[in-house]
Amino acid sequence: MPSKSLLGSRILKLCLVCRQNKTKCDAAATRPHPCTYCSKKNLVCVFDVTKPSQRSYDLTEKLVAEVLELHLKLDHIVESKNRLVRQILKKAPSTPATPLDMMGVLVSSDSESDTNEPTGPAYIDPIPTLSLADSFAIHSNLAVEPWTISYDRALFLLQNFKDNFLPYLPVLPELFFENPNLHEIHKQSDLLFWSIMVTSLLNQNLPGEYQTLARHVQNLVVVSCWFNTPRSLYCLVTLLILTTWPLPDDRSPKVQSNISVKYISLMKSLSLQFGLHKLDFISEFSKKTDLQVAQKPDVNDKMRERIYKFVNINSNYWLVFLGLSNSNYNGFHQDYIINKSANIDIFNKDAFESTDNFINSLLKISLIQLKMNESMNDVVESSNKMSKLIHLNMFEQILSDFSKKNSTPLVKDDLIDMSLEFSKLQLYIYYFSQVDISLDEYKNVIYRAVNCCSAILDLFTRSFGTVENFNQVPMHYRFGIELASLVLLDIHSSPLLRLLDDYTFVKLKFLQAYSFLSKCNGDGMTSTNRLLKIIHKFEECDKRKLLALRSKEKSFFLINKMSNYLISGLHYELIWHVYQTERYDCDDIAQIDWSLFGLNPKSPQHQGIINYVCDSSSIFA
């Protein structure tokens, strides 16, 4: 019903001349004679009666009616979608749902391709997620079938995340998990909701479901963080979750294509955009940004500070492990909060909760790795080997001071000890390349590296020995096992150990590391699976050819090719060894100079080591 005009029903009675000139007209009183104005001007007075125009008010009413009609149509579309999803959920398992049934749209023919092959452009649904009365659905990638979950199972996975994953990444308050309303969580951030679901599936032994949901979540990140402007702190929490337990990545194995690197760059930018580095002046930042994760202001401040610290921790771990320079890569530098936490708060444990003390210790270790990585990056290409050795000795002394039981500012925890041993192992890998060092000194470094790998494996066994899926381990501790396995494998293939029993010990420790790596639940797109392929490929190559090559180059160093490798280069070094041995001439195998490695074939003890290293049997035998 259109509303009455605000001007009432008043009728205008005036002549055309007065109306045109906007003058006062008395034509109604002087009729049939001209009005006073027309009489004075000797003009023809034409009397007219009209009703005021209501065009502006009619236009407003028309727009309101159109908006109401659009709302009704949208409600009808949403209800139709919900009805389709309910029908799909009621279908028998023998008649699985299709993307066409789920969202009412045509699916690209790319969806019929092998899911193990790298996909092309992502196909993203306009409405990628749904929150229904008793279930949730996601279909952000039209090349993959829709994935649905009941309310009760989602509640179980949320609790599973709280119990088994949140302790390693405490960036959400306890209140978030107390009597949770999943519909409200989904409404606040569907991206956070689904990232929790996919991460919680890691310890459920359901690799097929995990891979399907992971591909949807990967596209949902694009929708929420690239197509749209992130406005909620929950987006940053999501990126932390997905860089602590990274999604499978079917892209190129090149570093610049690694999806975790893209997430790191994004969450760094978001942390500055949200003003997390300026907690005291956070009100100066965008009013449109939701920076609340809890109702209490003090809890909010604590959570925001933890989030910001983990942004730095995850960034440092990933970029160092991948061989990238933190500051040179995207211009991110330390600030007051990071320096205070790592250099002041770490010495005042009594003033903070145990969780914050743990985070400060992990942050401190990550900063040491960062500084070591950047310093060695500057000297690794230098022809002055003595300069490199000075830097190595300096960082080794720093790490040794942190390892002292009584004077270290780090908290007493197996995970912190494991992280510190991981940093030491990184340093020993720098020793593996060309430095100004004798053979005996080099062998001492080899043994220190073996002891470091052994310590990492023992600490890992105490903390994660019962884990059934290696991918559910946070990347801060997963990296240590991956690196230790490569180091032990390379050392086992070299004639640099002094006793045969030492080779037996290295083999046992490698097999222990391999037993952890092989627990991947059939997920073929993770970095761990790529690492396993490198290990098996290296084991298949002829070790005698490798020793002949080192003898020809007059070098006993384990790393010769990757002079600018940094930490990630150990992967590429093994690949380079495989490539070399495949194209090397077999006639030169007998020319191995065993004295280069400190061995004398005439010595029975040394001959036993020579025979063991040249044995063609696999380390898995």
Side-chain angles (χ1 to χ4, degrees), residues 508-620:
L508 290 174
K509 286 300 177 182
F510 169 79
L511 293 177
Q512 184 182 359
Y514 184 83
S515 67
F516 292 123
L517 294 175
S518 59
K519 296 179 181 179
C520 291
N521 285 356
D523 184 1
M525 295 186 292
T526 64
S527 60
T528 304
N529 287 90
R530 297 191 184 105
L531 176 65
L532 291 174
K533 292 181 181 179
I534 295 175
I535 290 175
H536 286 285
K537 197 69 177 178
F538 181 76
E539 260 305 289
E540 294 172 359
C541 73
D542 192 335
K543 303 304 184 298
R544 293 172 299 174
K545 292 184 179 181
L546 179 60
L547 295 175
L549 284 168
R550 290 178 177 172
S551 179
K552 184 178 180 179
E553 295 171 355
K554 303 298 182 182
S555 173
F556 55 78
F557 294 99
L558 294 179
I559 296 178
N560 291 296
K561 179 65 177 178
M562 300 299 170
S563 59
N564 60 342
Y565 62 97
L566 303 181
I567 299 302
S568 65
L570 191 56
H571 299 73
Y572 302 116
E573 185 73 18
L574 296 187
I575 295 174
W576 174 251
H577 291 335
V578 173
Y579 171 75
Q580 280 187 307
T581 55
E582 288 180 348
R583 60 191 295 270
Y584 192 63
D585 189 359
C586 297
D587 295 338
D588 294 335
I589 293 178
Q591 305 301 322
I592 300 176
D593 182 8
W594 295 106
S595 63
L596 181 66
F597 307 99
L599 297 176
N600 183 3
K602 296 182 180 180
S603 169
Q605 179 179 345
H606 290 179
Q607 186 60 48
I609 295 175
I610 293 173
N611 293 337
Y612 183 89
V613 174
C614 292
D615 188 4
S616 59
S617 61
S618 171
I619 193 174
F620 301 105

Side-chain angles (χ1 to χ4, degrees), residues 456-475:
I456 291 175
L457 288 166
D458 292 342
L459 291 167
F460 188 90
T461 301
R462 288 208 294 265
S463 300
F464 303 103
T466 60
V467 168
E468 297 182 357
N469 183 5
F470 184 70
N471 291 327
Q472 83 177 73
V473 178
M475 60 89 185

Side-chain angles (χ1 to χ4, degrees), residues 186-201:
H186 185 277
K187 180 181 179 181
Q188 291 181 355
S189 176
D190 57 346
L191 179 60
L192 176 61
F193 174 87
W194 289 110
S195 68
I196 291 176
M197 294 298 106
V198 71
T199 303
S200 187
L201 281 175

